[in-house]
Amino acid sequence: MHLVHAGATGLPSSSPDVATPQATRAEFFGNREGFVAAYARIRIAAIAPPPEALLWDNFYLAYQGENDREPQSVYGDWLCTSLQTLMPVVKPTVHVQQRARIAVVSSRLHECTVGAYFSSWIEHLSACGWELILVHVGSYRDQLTEQLASSAHSELTLDDGIGENSRRLRELGADLILYPELGMDYRTLALAAQRLAPLQLCA
């Protein structure tokens, strides 16, 4: 059984006037509150949907120019709790290694805004003593991807379901997972909502 999700998390990509976004936000957050209340942990456990049924992004909130920290935290807490209910937490793999291992995880490690912003981070971190692993969510690659790959110490591509992607990222044994961005891709949000490394950060 799939959750009724889109109505609570969908947003238009544009608005016809200045006033419309405020009305849209009020409706959106009302729907979100009702959705989170309706699908509490106990109901998620009873329905036992596939984890993919929980995944959705709401990136269009970023275009409204408002402070979304609190409602996004509510959604993040719900997603974290729900995924833990369906996929119980497994302690991250610990590897004994000579230098600290950092995994940079994104579906946007290519020619785009994210690639332009964070290329220098990847190149700098890999030259500063970290064992840097590029983790691609999805299989898309371009020239910038190859350039970043040449800076990293190794790569991992995650292009399966959330369960398998989570297992493989956990088994990487990273000391730290860095998500350059969160919100543009529901697959990456699902990974970030779990404890897959001792320390996890978002830029």
Side-chain angles (χ1 to χ4, degrees), residues 16-85:
D17 52 51
V18 175
T20 299
Q22 293 304 316
T24 300
R25 287 174 67 82
E27 180 180 11
F28 172 83
F29 292 132
N31 289 341
R32 170 61 60 77
E33 183 177 345
F35 175 83
V36 168
Y39 291 100
R41 179 194 287 269
I42 190 169
R43 190 175 182 195
I44 293 291
I47 296 172
E52 282 74 15
L54 276 59
L55 307 186
W56 196 269
D57 68 75
N58 48 37
F59 185 61
Y60 289 141
L61 273 178
Y63 287 93
Q64 296 181 350
E66 302 288 343
N67 184 350
D68 301 318
R69 180 182 178 88
E70 182 176 352
Q72 290 288 58
S73 293
V74 170
Y75 178 66
D77 290 343
W78 173 85
L79 182 59
C80 182
T81 299
S82 299
L83 287 175
Q84 287 177 2
T85 301

Side-chain angles (χ1 to χ4, degrees), residues 11-195:
L11 284 165
S13 58
S14 61
S15 299
D17 52 51
V18 175
T20 299
Q22 293 304 316
T24 300
R25 287 174 67 82
E27 180 180 11
F28 172 83
F29 292 132
N31 289 341
R32 170 61 60 77
E33 183 177 345
F35 175 83
V36 168
Y39 291 100
R41 179 194 287 269
I42 190 169
R43 190 175 182 195
I44 293 291
I47 296 172
E52 282 74 15
L54 276 59
L55 307 186
W56 196 269
D57 68 75
N58 48 37
F59 185 61
Y60 289 141
L61 273 178
Y63 287 93
Q64 296 181 350
E66 302 288 343
N67 184 350
D68 301 318
R69 180 182 178 88
E70 182 176 352
Q72 290 288 58
S73 293
V74 170
Y75 178 66
D77 290 343
W78 173 85
L79 182 59
C80 182
T81 299
S82 299
L83 287 175
Q84 287 177 2
T85 301
L86 299 174
M87 301 188 302
V89 174
V90 177
K91 189 175 181 179
T93 301
V94 176
H95 290 297
V96 177
Q97 48 218 12
Q98 291 184 335
R99 53 183 172 174
R101 177 178 294 173
I102 180 171
V104 178
V105 182
S106 179
S107 63
R108 299 292 192 269
L109 299 173
H110 52 76
E111 292 283 359
C112 65
T113 303
V114 174
Y117 280 173
F118 295 104
S119 293
S120 61
W121 287 39
I122 292 168
E123 293 165 348
H124 179 74
L125 288 168
S126 64
C128 287
W130 291 90
E131 180 189 359
L132 191 141
I133 316 297
L134 282 188
V135 180
H136 309 276
V137 180
S139 57
Y140 181 80
R141 302 176 72 93
D142 62 13
Q143 184 176 352
L144 181 57
T145 310
E146 303 305 331
Q147 174 187 325
L148 296 176
S150 68
S151 298
H153 297 99
S154 62
E155 297 180 86
L156 175 66
T157 297
L158 303 177
D159 202 19
D160 294 298
I162 181 58
E164 180 65 8
N165 285 351
S166 300
R167 181 190 67 80
R168 294 181 66 202
L169 182 54
R170 181 186 301 111
E171 291 183 352
L172 190 62
D175 297 288
L176 184 154
I177 295 177
L178 170 63
Y179 295 95
E181 55 76 28
L182 285 174
M184 299 180 72
D185 191 320
Y186 61 83
R187 299 171 298 178
T188 311
L189 275 176
L191 293 171
Q194 302 173 76
R195 175 60 63 186

